Amino acid sequence: MKFGHATLLLLLPCVGLLIGMLTGVGSLVIQAFAGSQGPSIANFTEFTSRPEVVGVFWYTHEVALIVTLICVFFSYPLAVFMAMRPRLIYLILILLPLMVSIVVRTYGWVVLLGPRGLVNTLLIDVGLIDRPMRLMFNTGGVVVGLVHIFIPFAVLSILAVYVKIEKSLPEAAMSLGASPFKVFTKVILPLSLPGVATAATIVYLLTLGAIVTPLLLGGQQQTMLGTMIYNQMLVYYNFPAASASAILLTASAAIAVIPFQLIDRWATRKLPGGEQS
Amino acid sequence: MKLGPALLTSFAFAAFLFILAPILIVVMASFTPRGYLDFPPQGLSLKWYAEVLGSWVWLRAFMFSVALAFVAATATTFICFLAALVTTRRRVPGKSLFELLVQLPLLLPHAALAMALFSLVLFIGLRGTFMGLVIAHLIVVMPFVYSPIVNGLRQHDLSLEEAAMTLGADPVTIFRKITLPMIRPALVSAFLFSFIVSFDEVTVSVFLIGVDLTTLPVKILSDIQASASPAIAAVSTLLMCLTLAMVYVVNRFVGIRMFVENRA
Amino acid sequence: MPAGEVQVDRVMKRYGPVQAVQNVSLNVRGAEFLSLLGPSGCGKTTLLRMIAGFETPTEGRIMIDGADVTKVPTYRRPIGMVMQSLALFPHMDVRENVTFGLILRKESRAIAERKAEDALAMVGLAGYGDRLVHQLSGGQKQRVALARSLVTEPAVLLLDEPLSALDLKLRQQMQEELKRIQKRVGTTFIFVTHDQEEAMTMSDRIAVVNEGQIEQVGSPQEIYDSPASLFVANFVGDTNVLQAEVLGSDASGTQVRLLGTGETVNARGAAFAQGARVELMVRPDYLRLNSPGAGTGLTGTITERTFVGNTTRYLVSVNGREMKVRVPHSPQVNGFMPGQDVLITWPSGGCVALPSTKN
């Protein structure tokens, strides 16, 4: 069917939503730069002048990097496995957790790692320890919880690229005398690298913005930027400070994912459409 | 079996176990007869299910979440369908900017998105209301809806519509008898997926709930912080059953593989 | 029954700066099988889509049976169409596909289903109504698409390279069947193709399209024997082109002298001014090979010989130029071998003088 100029009106509801979203972003920015007398950057200097807040900033990026590395490292072989045995059941096993609320999945780790959780009970029963160990409310607990929640995203990103690799390419490489190791490093890995870059980008961004998991598994000691914003807003009602934190979070996220995007650009530089993307 | 594949297989099963463990643990914990969580559960009991299902507070939160997810998913699917129809069929000025903005909720860190939507809802004075949550959720689920619908429309062969036209079908008939049936799977999966996303959403909702207005996941979140009652495990299990049922429906209608393809 | 005459009247189609169709006029007679033949991108499909109503001409008119349909939407035109992709509705079974147009024309279900069954029987698919589209083979899909578009009894059936996806055997079979069905239903067929053999086999007339213009309209034999331009000569069949100079020209023919060899040849072709440069076109299968000295003609040396079954193809070097000759095969004759000197002769009137493209 021909779509004339009038059909552009059909875009209006969607554009309305986008305008709403941008209004939100805009008023966030205005809040962040609001001072007692007109616009100021006081909220930002406040942020940078407090060492404990700056510490939270770096800690958040540190956790994000650790979670990203672990996720990519483990999800790659898992994606390879799923590509080799394309059974629906494996796909469901990966997708199902994605469909379960983050709260519920994090709650599972609370049950597992809590003072009266499965791990501690088992260890006490076996007699290895006699008092519950501190398994959560520390960095380890937060990282385990975040890896668990974000690993399906990483697997799916890598899988999507991996399954598109032409099956005849490894065979061609082998016919040219490449060993399985060479086939992997010279053909499969370079071709699947864009999927890895996407996985890393997604996991890094998701970790930076996480609130629920660090809140439940990190407690008050292991504050990340997400939980800090949550506290600033919902506990201390400091809207300007929370806004400034959100903006710094977004800005640093945009900068932090540049390396991953560069990897992607580099990996696809010779592929069709690679230069534009 | 050679060593490599065997290693890979055992690794994969270990990974699946890791991914499933916390979920299974919650289910198991929900059947404890005790007043706190413990392992292994001493006996089996459904008392926490009875408590949850008999509790008005939990039921209210559940119904509120269902209503919210239903309205958000229906409206977004409709809105994005209209938009995708236009963007896939004609030149739209500023299309790439438009599509980038549609994806923005996925690209912004969740906490920042929550703050932005909080600002918006505050700005229009709807904090703590159903409408406020609906507007925020519309924006949150938008990217999950727009992409599968666009993919569905791109795969839809426009020569089918032309063929119908040569057989005497006017535009309205074509839309009803060809276009809509052809992309129904994409619409159904977009709807169900956005329903699930909206139903599970916590991070944004937690900023927007009202005094006596809370979604189920937010209520779970605050209860976890406040207590360790196994009732939470029972609610979580019920929630998972609902999700499982929806995933089953998605799979029946369109096949679950669609989600993998959509990510490419 | 409507006659099914289509008039394309000085139609032009521009896409921005691109002239897809330039000032084309074409009269399609009722009940004829007309092919629009041309290379891809020549504008033949655009022309067909304008007749279908998918594209609106920038200028000009399109009439079907005397009525101006230029501004009439597709669904109100008395046409049917078989698309290149066939476009069978995958969410309907064969019967639903075939009755689709009838139901839209407010036929009762019973009548629609009876007509559909008849149409399916006509294309050799009686009893296939309950099949699903994806259960059909390529050839069966073709037949369903044909039945679906014919069952509504359109005045004109438009076919956009519907056979291009089939393999050669099936394709030839479908060509014959299309022709047979067309004769039986008496509907005007306008068939777009880039395959000259396909056009030759099926058409009553062929319109050769090039760069948005119609170069020639005529019966397959006219097109083959008397191409109106070098493009037509080259596009339809193999050809030899020789440079010549006009000695004399009148309505009955043109006498030319070949450049280089100085041979005098009688050619067909419109009146040319004396002394004008022309191109002399001659088909490889008009030419004959003889031993040197057996008469007048061009002398040359065989450089290549390829046996292709029913014919043998020779390349003959004449005065430094390669000429193609095709000789019907007969088992007793061994023919000539590379290196041999030969004399090329042709029957009078076997060649056509065409205006020179180089000035």
Side-chain angles (χ1 to χ4, degrees):
Chain A
M1 269 183 281
K2 277 275 150 61
F3 268 54
H5 289 300
T7 52
L8 283 176
L9 290 174
L10 296 178
L11 286 171
L12 275 185
C14 206
V15 170
L17 281 186
L18 296 180
I19 289 172
M21 179 175 71
L22 293 177
T23 309
V25 173
S27 87
L28 189 71
V29 173
I30 291 170
Q31 275 294 332
F33 287 98
S36 41
Q37 292 103 25
S40 82
I41 54 162
N43 294 312
F44 294 95
T45 47
E46 167 85 5
F47 187 103
T48 49
S49 65
R50 288 168 56 195
E52 74 275 17
V53 174
V54 175
V56 166
F57 178 87
W58 290 117
Y59 177 72
T60 306
H61 281 277
E62 190 187 317
V63 169
L65 190 61
I66 295 170
V67 170
T68 303
L69 290 177
I70 295 178
C71 271
V72 168
F73 187 77
F74 283 105
S75 55
Y76 195 95
L78 196 53
V80 171
F81 173 81
M82 288 175 64
M84 276 169 30
R85 312 244 177 98
R87 293 207 197 117
L88 190 61
I89 179 70
Y90 298 139
L91 199 58
I92 291 178
L93 284 179
I94 289 292
L95 281 171
L96 216 51
L98 273 184
M99 311 275 171
V100 176
S101 181
I102 294 178
V103 207
V104 174
R105 281 185 281 162
T106 307
Y107 177 62
W109 287 107
V110 174
V111 176
L112 264 172
L113 303 178
R116 284 185 165 188
L118 178 62
V119 176
N120 271 319
T121 317
L122 271 179
L123 291 177
I124 292 172
D125 286 356
V126 175
L128 278 174
I129 52 174
D130 38 51
R131 276 188 299 130
M133 286 193 308
R134 193 190 182 97
L135 295 170
M136 46 186 256
F137 299 132
N138 58 22
T139 303
V142 176
V143 167
V144 167
L146 288 171
V147 165
H148 175 254
I149 282 169
F150 298 141
I151 207 167
F153 290 105
V155 173
L156 290 175
S157 304
I158 296 172
L159 185 62
V161 174
Y162 195 91
V163 292
K164 289 215 175 95
I165 299 176
E166 191 74 50
K167 292 282 168 295
S168 58
L169 293 179
E171 288 168 6
M174 265 185 269
S175 77
L176 293 167
S179 64
F181 178 74
K182 285 282 179 197
V183 170
F184 180 76
T185 54
K186 296 280 178 193
V187 179
I188 296 175
L189 192 59
L191 284 172
S192 54
L193 211 50
V196 173
T198 310
T201 309
I202 290 178
V203 173
Y204 201 96
L205 284 177
L206 287 171
T207 309
L208 279 189
I211 293 183
V212 172
T213 308
L215 195 65
L216 292 179
L217 292 174
Q220 291 305 321
Q221 290 83 9
Q222 261 62 42
T223 310
M224 288 175 61
L225 275 176
T227 40
M228 191 174 87
I229 291 171
Y230 176 87
N231 285 331
Q232 285 170 331
M233 195 60 242
L234 296 177
V235 180
Y236 306 115
Y237 301 109
N238 190 344
F239 196 2
S243 303
S245 305
I247 284 166
L248 284 174
L249 169 64
T250 310
S252 65
I255 295 167
V257 296
I258 288 175
F260 304 131
Q261 293 306 303
L262 288 180
I263 290 174
D264 184 55
R265 181 88 39 112
W266 179 79
T268 58
R269 70 198 183 283
K270 287 176 192 158
L271 303 179
E275 285 299 316
Q276 291 87 31
S277 67
Chain B
M1 211 195 256
K2 277 191 262 171
L3 183 65
L7 262 177
L8 187 61
T9 307
S10 20
F11 167 81
F13 282 109
F16 284 132
L17 187 67
F18 169 76
I19 289 170
L20 286 183
I23 297 170
L24 295 177
I25 291 295
V26 170
V27 175
M28 281 157 63
S30 69
F31 292 105
T32 182
R34 304 262 192 92
Y36 53 88
L37 289 168
D38 60 345
F39 270 100
Q42 314 291 312
L44 279 177
S45 152
L46 291 175
K47 73 186 243 197
W48 296 110
Y49 287 91
E51 183 182 314
V52 168
L53 292 172
S55 148
W56 174 235
V57 186
W58 282 114
L59 277 181
R60 226 171 87 103
F62 172 76
M63 284 178 342
F64 183 79
S65 277
V66 169
L68 173 62
F70 182 79
V71 173
T74 312
T76 322
T77 305
F78 184 67
I79 291 171
C80 289
F81 178 48
L82 293 184
L85 269 179
V86 183
T87 54
T88 52
R89 280 172 198 243
R90 58 159 292 143
R91 202 191 296 270
V92 174
K95 182 178 157 196
S96 49
L97 176 67
F98 172 81
E99 298 204 320
L100 177 74
L101 286 177
V102 169
Q103 299 298 325
L104 194 63
L106 270 185
L107 302 173
L108 283 177
H110 228 89
L113 174 69
M115 279 300 294
L117 295 178
F118 172 74
S119 307
L120 167 68
V121 172
L122 208 63
F123 183 73
I124 52 181
L126 288 175
R127 191 184 175 201
T129 68
F130 183 68
M131 268 318 286
L133 274 158
V134 166
I135 289 171
H137 277 219
L138 284 179
I139 294 168
V140 170
V141 299
M142 191 165 49
F144 295 99
V145 177
Y146 183 77
S147 303
I149 293 181
V150 164
N151 282 342
L153 283 170
R154 287 231 180 89
Q155 279 161 25
H156 167 53
D157 181 2
L158 291 180
S159 70
L160 292 178
E161 297 183 357
E162 292 186 344
M165 212 182 288
T166 66
L167 292 167
D170 57 53
V172 175
T173 312
I174 291 171
F175 185 77
R176 264 186 34 235
K177 296 211 165 179
I178 310 294
T179 318
L180 210 50
M182 289 312 296
I183 61 149
R184 188 169 291 144
L187 290 179
V188 169
S189 82
F191 170 82
L192 290 174
F193 198 38
S194 57
F195 185 96
I196 292 172
V197 170
S198 164
F199 192 80
D200 286 345
E201 185 0 271
V202 224
T203 316
V204 172
S205 305
V206 80
F207 285 84
L208 298 172
I209 51 162
V211 186
D212 53 351
L213 199 71
T214 182
T215 70
L216 191 58
V218 174
K219 165 113 177 87
I220 296 176
L221 174 65
S222 49
D223 274 37
I224 297 172
Q225 287 174 292
S227 77
S229 163
I232 303 165
V235 176
S236 301
T237 308
L238 290 174
L239 206 72
M240 278 187 266
C241 290
L242 187 85
T243 309
L244 212 61
M246 298 214 48
V247 173
Y248 177 76
V249 174
V250 173
N251 197 30
R252 277 294 298 274
F253 264 95
V254 285
I256 204 160
R257 279 179 201 284
M258 182 140 179
F259 292 120
V260 180
E261 284 145 21
N262 282 343
R263 273 167 199 288
Chain C
M1 205 181 125
E5 285 164 8
V6 179
Q7 277 149 294
V8 176
D9 183 18
R10 283 164 294 166
V11 159
M12 246 202 247
K13 180 68 185 176
R14 265 192 296 270
Y15 296 103
V18 184
Q19 280 269 16
V21 171
Q22 309 178 26
N23 203 24
V24 161
S25 292
L26 175 68
N27 285 320
V28 186
R29 300 168 192 152
E32 84 168 326
F33 195 127
L34 180 122
S35 288
L36 293 173
L37 174 66
S40 59
C42 70
K44 58 189 192 299
T45 298
T46 308
L47 186 56
L48 192 79
R49 290 173 62 82
M50 285 193 287
I51 299 172
F54 297 138
E55 314 281 346
T56 317
T58 316
E59 275 170 46
R61 289 185 310 163
I62 290 169
M63 328 260 283
I64 299 180
D65 285 332
D68 187 343
V69 296
T70 318
K71 296 259 151 55
V72 176
T74 302
Y75 51 92
R76 293 211 197 93
R77 295 190 187 196
I79 54 137
M81 185 162 178
V82 181
M83 328 281 275
Q84 184 166 23
S85 68
L86 302 181
L88 296 180
F89 306 131
H91 57 304
M92 301 180 189
D93 63 23
V94 168
R95 180 175 300 110
E96 287 168 327
N97 263 286
V98 180
T99 53
F100 186 85
L102 293 170
I103 303 272
L104 286 173
R105 283 169 179 73
K106 307 276 187 276
E107 290 274 23
S108 77
R109 191 159 287 277
I111 294 176
E113 287 186 2
R114 210 195 61 231
K115 284 190 176 177
E117 198 48 50
D118 291 347
L120 285 172
M122 181 181 66
V123 296
L125 287 180
Y128 275 69
D130 293 325
R131 297 286 181 96
L132 298 177
V133 169
H134 65 86
Q135 294 169 329
L136 302 174
S137 70
Q140 289 169 338
K141 283 183 187 159
Q142 302 277 348
R143 290 157 197 269
V144 173
L146 190 61
R148 181 178 72 177
S149 48
L150 279 176
V151 77
T152 57
E153 294 171 18
V156 185
L157 187 70
L158 310 172
L159 302 103
D160 184 9
E161 308 210 26
L163 307 182
S164 54
L166 300 182
D167 60 50
L168 188 64
K169 263 271 160 54
L170 198 53
R171 198 178 163 128
Q172 287 168 341
Q173 195 188 328
M174 279 306 295
Q175 287 168 4
E176 279 167 34
E177 200 153 330
L178 264 179
K179 179 85 194 152
R180 184 179 59 76
I181 289 171
Q182 192 267 335
K183 286 295 160 237
R184 186 147 116 222
V185 297
T187 306
T188 309
F189 275 34
I190 303 180
F191 188 99
V192 160
T193 181
H194 63 267
D195 180 339
Q196 47 109 359
E197 230 174 272
E198 188 165 275
M200 291 278 184
T201 322
M202 293 194 289
S203 319
D204 297 321
R205 288 197 303 157
I206 297 174
V208 183
V209 187
N210 182 36
E211 292 180 346
Q213 283 172 318
I214 292 185
E215 300 251 342
Q216 189 176 7
V217 186
S219 71
Q221 200 181 336
E222 280 165 13
I223 299 269
Y224 189 78
D225 287 343
S226 320
S229 68
L230 215 52
F231 173 81
V232 176
N234 276 315
F235 194 74
V236 181
D238 243 353
T239 202
N240 290 300
V241 179
L242 306 165
Q243 316 293 318
E245 189 186 7
V246 176
L247 297 175
S249 183
D250 57 38
S252 63
T254 303
Q255 195 177 44
V256 301
R257 186 173 58 221
L258 293 184
L259 298 185
T261 62
E263 208 76 28
T264 309
V265 179
N266 286 319
R268 287 175 289 119
F272 292 99
Q274 194 172 348
R277 287 288 182 84
V278 291
E279 315 250 9
L280 197 65
M281 188 238 47
V282 58
R283 299 282 182 199
D285 36 351
Y286 294 162
L287 299 171
R288 292 287 168 267
L289 290 182
N290 297 289
S291 300
T296 52
L298 301 171
T299 46
T301 313
I302 307 262
T303 55
E304 214 178 290
R305 176 184 195 266
T306 315
F307 176 63
V308 278
N310 52 352
T311 57
T312 305
R313 287 201 310 243
Y314 293 95
L315 279 183
V316 185
S317 171
V318 179
N319 224 9
R321 287 207 43 176
E322 299 262 84
M323 280 187 72
K324 289 176 268 188
V325 181
R326 203 155 56 204
V327 178
H329 175 65
S330 64
Q332 282 76 34
V333 182
N334 257 333
F336 298 91
M337 289 300 154
Q340 255 180 294
D341 286 340
V342 288
L343 181 76
I344 304 176
T345 58
W346 58 78
S348 157
C351 41
V352 181
L354 296 168
S356 177
T357 46
K358 312 179 197 74
N359 290 313

